[in-house]
Amino acid sequence: MAHKFEIYKDKAGEFRVRFKHNSETMFSTEGYASKASAKNAIESIKKNGPDAPIDDTTD
């Protein structure tokens, strides 16, 4: 699989999610106190991501 979500614990012990494509990290989330909250973040990204607008601030 070329892309995946990965849940991991950071140095502070918080759960984070990173999205990887071809083993390169494309983005990571804020820290969450519980793994359930990290999983909810993944579901939110999957649900809301496809319709998210692009905000190009370079113009």
Side-chain angles (χ1 to χ4, degrees):
M1 179 175 288
H3 54 277
K4 66 180 178 180
F5 288 98
E6 184 176 86
I7 298 173
Y8 67 99
K9 271 192 169 181
D10 64 14
K11 291 179 182 178
E14 294 185 314
F15 293 93
R16 292 182 180 262
V17 175
R18 58 183 153 221
F19 181 78
K20 293 184 136 189
H21 179 71
N22 291 334
S23 73
E24 180 181 346
T25 300
M26 304 304 288
F27 67 84
S28 59
T29 65
E30 63 184 281
Y32 297 98
S34 70
K35 188 186 284 189
S37 293
K39 288 182 177 182
N40 286 339
I42 292 170
E43 292 308 313
S44 177
I45 293 165
K46 287 180 173 180
K47 178 181 173 186
N48 299 306
D51 297 324
I54 297 171
D55 186 9
D56 184 351
T57 61
T58 62
D59 294 334

